[in-house]
Amino acid sequence: MSTTPQSPTAEEEGGGARRSSPAPADGLGGRVPPLQPAAGKAAGQGARESAAARVRRRLSSTTASVIAIVIAALWTLPTAGLFISSFRPEQEIKTTGWWTMFTDPQLTLTNYREVLFSSSQGQLASYFVNSFVITVPSTVFVVLLAALAAYALAWVNFPGRDWLFLGIFALQIVPLQMSLVPLLRFFSQGVSIGDIQVLPAWDLPGAFAFTNVWVAHTIFGLPLGIFLLHNFVSQLPHSLFEAARVDGAGHGVLFRRVVLPLIVPALVSLAIFQFLWVWNDLLVALIFAGGDVSTAPLTVRLAELAGTRGNEWQRLTAGAFVSMVVPLIVFFTLQRYFVRGLLAGSVKG
């Protein structure tokens, strides 16, 4: 009997249609299925992932690590020199460089004692307390009001919501210096329409003068704070709010028990930004708090020291580090929340 294969008939060809070529064998007697489009898509995704892996590998290589260490050292070197100089005696700091401390170490705490407690050399302790009194309420007000406004603009439906958010976003473009004069006039003269006094002047004596600075810093910090928190709050899952509403939760309960626990990293990030901004501010505090020892912050006194005692480097370096220590402690203490807040919302899933 002949084993020669017979040619396919018309019925086997499906009425004259051309039969597709058989799939190749996989070595086990089976047939390998043809490549599907999804496989090509997966291959492209694998190529993209491999590209990302290559970039990650290059950034974590020895050369990249050495470059990062060199940049960090160069960035930190001036601050380290300033820190060492703040502990050196006056004669040493004026005649030799700070690096000579390693060969001839002469350290003293006299510089810090003079700038903190001496009434003729600085008296920074009083100004240090004033900076806390100005910075802490200004930060709390901005974080609280920005969180409430961000929730309302993201999850409360009311007419003109989008236009209101657009207006708040546009306020970030307005230079701060343009609003100083109108705001100062509002505090000193109030608001009047014709001969009718609508709001009286804010002529607050003594410690109540801090109110003007709190209001000014809150006004200047709210646009950016609302914008940052709105982007975070608006990305929260709808299912959380739907489940809470089914249980009878209103907006107050939703904000306290659902939103606030989820936006802690964003709140901390905003608090760090606002704290550093207010603590290092000179212009707003000088205009609205003045230069009096009872209300002026640390930056005002440091500017006066730099102008009147510019040749006394030992006191300027000590004063600079007195002003730097609190922002450094705040940043390094809350650093992990700060990083989470910056990365939150950058990716989904």
Side-chain angles (χ1 to χ4, degrees):
M1 179 180 295
S2 175
T3 59
T4 303
Q6 301 294 328
S7 60
T9 61
E11 290 79 9
E12 293 174 343
E13 293 178 348
R18 185 181 298 273
R19 175 181 292 180
S20 60
S21 59
D26 60 356
L28 298 176
R31 298 291 181 180
V32 179
L35 185 65
Q36 300 296 328
K41 182 178 180 180
Q45 185 177 1
R48 290 193 297 270
E49 291 176 353
S50 62
R54 286 195 299 270
V55 173
R56 195 161 46 243
R57 185 172 59 255
R58 292 175 182 175
L59 292 178
S60 59
S61 63
T62 305
T63 303
S65 300
V66 171
I67 294 175
I69 292 174
V70 171
I71 294 175
L74 293 176
W75 190 274
T76 311
L77 192 61
T79 305
L82 186 68
F83 179 71
I84 294 173
S85 298
S86 66
F87 290 98
R88 304 183 71 209
E90 179 180 358
Q91 186 62 29
E92 292 295 323
I93 196 175
K94 290 183 177 180
T95 56
T96 59
W98 62 266
W99 51 87
T100 59
M101 189 274 299
F102 298 102
T103 58
D104 184 20
Q106 298 184 29
L107 303 178
T108 180
L109 294 176
T110 304
N111 302 332
Y112 285 94
R113 185 171 59 252
E114 289 180 351
V115 299
L116 284 174
F117 305 110
S118 175
S119 59
S120 61
Q121 304 297 338
Q123 198 180 2
L124 293 185
S126 300
Y127 297 91
F128 193 83
V129 175
N130 293 341
S131 291
F132 265 107
V133 175
I134 292 174
T135 304
V136 174
S138 299
T139 303
V140 172
F141 292 154
V142 169
V143 173
L144 179 60
L145 295 177
L148 291 169
Y151 171 78
L153 293 171
W155 295 101
V156 178
N157 294 321
F158 58 89
R161 182 184 66 174
D162 296 337
W163 286 104
L164 179 60
F165 177 71
L166 183 61
I168 294 174
F169 175 77
L171 287 176
Q172 301 178 69
I173 307 173
V174 179
L176 181 147
Q177 293 79 1
M178 293 181 60
S179 56
L180 292 178
V181 174
L183 190 58
L184 183 61
R185 181 176 297 177
F186 167 75
F187 288 143
S188 60
Q189 301 179 6
V191 178
S192 59
I193 301 177
D195 297 332
I196 302 176
Q197 187 78 19
V198 179
L199 291 175
W202 291 27
D203 189 11
L204 303 176
F208 292 100
F210 287 113
T211 307
N212 295 348
V213 190
W214 294 341
V215 173
H217 278 302
T218 303
I219 292 174
F220 296 142
L222 275 177
L224 177 61
I226 294 174
F227 175 72
L228 291 178
L229 293 183
H230 176 271
N231 294 341
F232 194 97
V233 174
S234 61
Q235 294 183 3
L236 297 178
H238 289 263
S239 57
L240 294 177
F241 296 89
E242 293 174 356
R245 288 193 181 99
V246 169
D247 293 336
H251 287 297
V253 176
L254 285 172
F255 180 75
R256 293 193 311 270
R257 299 186 179 181
V258 178
V259 176
L260 283 183
L262 294 176
I263 64 173
V264 169
L267 292 177
V268 174
S269 299
L270 176 60
I272 293 176
F273 275 124
Q274 181 67 11
F275 187 93
L276 296 180
W277 161 256
V278 178
W279 183 272
N280 295 322
D281 171 71
L282 172 63
L283 180 61
V284 176
L286 183 61
I287 292 177
F288 295 101
D292 187 71
V293 66
S294 60
T295 56
L298 193 60
T299 52
V300 174
R301 184 55 179 162
L302 286 177
E304 294 176 355
L305 287 178
T308 59
R309 303 180 182 273
N311 60 337
E312 298 183 359
W313 302 339
Q314 74 282 359
R315 296 187 179 91
L316 292 178
T317 54
F321 254 89
V322 168
S323 66
M324 288 170 56
V325 61
V326 173
L328 288 176
I329 292 174
V330 170
F331 179 79
F332 286 115
T333 303
L334 305 175
Q335 182 181 13
R336 57 173 182 169
Y337 297 102
F338 180 72
V339 174
R340 291 179 189 174
L342 289 181
L343 296 178
S346 59
V347 293
K348 291 185 178 181

